[in-house]
């Protein structure tokens, strides 16, 4: 396996999706377990598109943890950075879906959010060797909610700075993971100062910046190289280099939106690797990069599950050939 160009640090888990649409948590009769977790989703999507990626995170030494690591290996994701934990369980998240397939996180079953293995990621066990060859580090913000994994985030940022990796942050704000939304806002705002590219949903942009305008966000953050604001079926607005624009979403038959944003991030990074960051100064290239990312996200929604539904590079190219922006 070639050294991963992209390192994705954070959680890997099972999304337990309600089989029945439009019901509350207590009304659901059965669930289907799908592998997920935003950074793991991004890593798998990248490999399927053709960009070598590695996952860094902690899992329980239990059957779900073994299944997830096996999936990473089978997909072709580098697992050098996976840390097994002997007592904490692998996280499972219960997800209810409305009649349109959109999901709402509905809790963690019998466990408190702080009890899972992903919260125990150890800073001193991060493999420095991975950072020496990589080009990008992808982070979410869930790890900031727990002391041990928060230290691991900051250690990864130190290594990224030392070895000159570009940092991509997908905010991935999920109140259910946090004890206090105000603390979350403060910690995420601090982290923003260290990133090169920022991906937000429309709601996250409003929450953090009181605007959904990527140009205004870029101006406020000064040192950032690009901001992407996604809004589901309403498309994506972007500010990349000096280029601002908005693209509508692709019209597809949506089955499940879980992981669509993660696939979008993977598509964006894959294109950065193909074209080079300097190419974002060209308006047409910037638009092409976002269109590609949007296509990867759209194709992920037409089947259930965040990882199982991810397209290959060939599938994305075929889709783009028949769908104009």
């Amino acid at each position: 396996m070639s050294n991963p160009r992209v390192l994705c640090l954070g959680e890997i888990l099972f999304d337990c999706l309600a089989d029945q649409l439009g019901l509350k948590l207590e009304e659901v009769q059965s669930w289907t377990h799908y592998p997920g977790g935003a950074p793991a989703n991004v890593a798998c999507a990248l490999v399927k598109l053709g960009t070598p990626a590695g996952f860094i995170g902690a899992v329980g030494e239990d059957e779900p943890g073994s299944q997830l690591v096996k999936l990473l290996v089978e997909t072709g994701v580098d697992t050098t950075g996976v840390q097994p934990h002997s007592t904490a369980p692998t996280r499972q998240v219960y997800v209810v879906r409305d009649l349109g397939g959109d999901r709402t996180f509905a809790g963690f079953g019998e466990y408190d959010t702080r009890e899972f293995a992903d919260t125990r990621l150890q800073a001193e066990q991060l493999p420095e060797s991975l950072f020496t060859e990589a080009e990008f580090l992808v982070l979410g913000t869930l790890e900031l909610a727990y002391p041990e994994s928060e230290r691991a985030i900051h250690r990864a940022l130190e290594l990224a700075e030392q070895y000159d990796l570009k940092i991509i942050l997908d905010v991935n704000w999920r109140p259910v993971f946090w004890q206090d939304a105000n603390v979350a806002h403060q910690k995420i705002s601090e982290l923003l100062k260290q990133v090169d590219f920022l991906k937000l949903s429309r709601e996250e942009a409003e929450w953090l910046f009181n605007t959904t305008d990527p140009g205004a966000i870029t101006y406020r953050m000064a040192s950032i190289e690009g901001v992407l604001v996604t809004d589901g079926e309403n498309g994506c607005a972007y500010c990349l280099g000096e280029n601002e624009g908005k693209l509508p979403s692709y019209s597809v038959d949506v089955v499940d939106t879980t992981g669509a944003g993660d696939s979008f991030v993977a598509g964006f990074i894959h294109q950065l690797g193909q074209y080079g960051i300097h190419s974002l100064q060209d308006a047409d290239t910037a638009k092409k990069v976002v269109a590609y990312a949007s296509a990867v996200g759209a194709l992920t929604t037409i089947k259930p599950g965040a990882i199982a539904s991810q397209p290959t590079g060939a599938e994305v190219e075929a889709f783009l050939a028949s769908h104009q922006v």
Side-chain angles (χ1 to χ4, degrees), residues 14-313:
F14 273 106
D15 286 315
C16 306
L17 264 61
D19 292 327
Q20 297 79 34
L21 301 185
L23 298 182
K24 295 176 185 167
L25 175 69
E26 58 275 10
E27 298 170 339
V28 176
Q29 289 119 47
S30 60
W31 308 82
T32 301
H33 291 57
Y34 292 100
N41 294 343
V42 175
C44 289
L46 278 163
V47 170
K48 292 180 187 183
L49 294 172
T51 293
F55 175 73
I56 299 171
V59 296
E61 287 183 348
D62 49 22
E63 184 55 33
S66 299
Q67 288 178 27
L68 291 170
V69 174
K70 182 169 180 258
L71 171 68
L72 291 174
V73 171
E74 288 173 349
T75 305
V77 174
D78 186 295
T79 56
T80 308
V82 173
Q83 299 178 14
H85 196 280
S86 59
T87 56
T90 301
R91 190 183 294 270
Q92 299 188 58
V93 181
Y94 289 85
V95 181
V96 293
R97 294 184 285 167
D98 65 20
L99 294 173
D102 276 329
R103 76 254 188 253
T104 303
F105 290 88
F108 305 105
E110 63 188 283
Y111 293 102
D112 182 272
T113 182
R114 293 165 293 189
E115 295 180 64
F116 293 102
D118 57 86
T119 71
R120 310 288 208 273
L121 185 64
Q122 299 300 302
E124 62 276 8
Q125 291 180 33
L126 298 187
E128 187 169 343
S129 59
L130 285 177
F131 289 79
T132 61
E133 300 291 332
E135 297 170 41
F136 299 97
L137 171 65
V138 181
L139 299 171
T141 61
L142 305 188
E143 285 63 46
L144 295 175
Y146 316 102
E148 289 170 277
S149 53
E150 182 182 17
R151 284 194 291 275
I153 284 260
H154 290 298
R155 174 61 180 150
L157 289 168
E158 287 173 9
L159 289 167
E161 184 175 357
Q162 184 179 340
Y163 294 107
D164 201 26
L165 278 67
K166 292 292 183 181
I167 296 160
I168 294 117
L169 179 69
D170 181 359
V171 171
N172 208 23
W173 160 241
R174 300 281 183 265
V176 70
F177 286 82
W178 291 81
Q179 306 294 312
D180 185 332
N182 292 323
V183 171
H185 195 288
Q186 179 189 342
K187 289 189 175 184
I188 292 169
S189 297
E190 279 298 310
L191 181 60
L192 292 173
K193 298 171 185 175
Q194 296 179 263
V195 307
D196 298 293
F197 291 94
L198 176 63
K199 185 263 180 188
L200 309 128
S201 68
R202 179 180 59 80
E203 296 83 1
E204 289 163 351
E206 286 280 12
W207 180 60
L208 283 166
F209 296 101
N210 294 314
T211 179
T212 60
D213 180 348
I217 295 168
T218 302
Y219 178 76
R220 203 177 305 177
M221 292 180 64
S223 62
I224 202 156
E225 297 185 47
V227 174
L228 303 145
V229 179
T230 56
D231 188 16
E233 63 187 16
N234 298 311
C236 172
Y238 62 90
C239 180
L240 298 170
E242 297 293 313
N243 300 302
E244 293 185 55
K246 188 171 192 306
L247 292 182
S249 65
Y250 293 101
S251 181
V252 294
D253 293 326
V254 174
V255 171
D256 174 25
T257 59
T258 306
D262 307 326
S263 289
F264 176 95
V265 171
F268 175 71
I269 298 167
H270 177 68
Q271 291 288 280
L272 287 188
Q274 299 283 301
Y275 286 105
I277 289 171
H278 63 278
S279 69
L280 297 177
Q281 300 301 327
D282 177 73
D284 287 340
T285 303
K287 183 179 176 182
K288 244 185 243 177
V289 166
V290 177
Y292 186 98
S294 299
V296 182
L299 286 169
T300 300
T301 69
I302 62 178
K303 291 183 277 191
I307 293 174
S309 57
Q310 292 166 342
T312 63

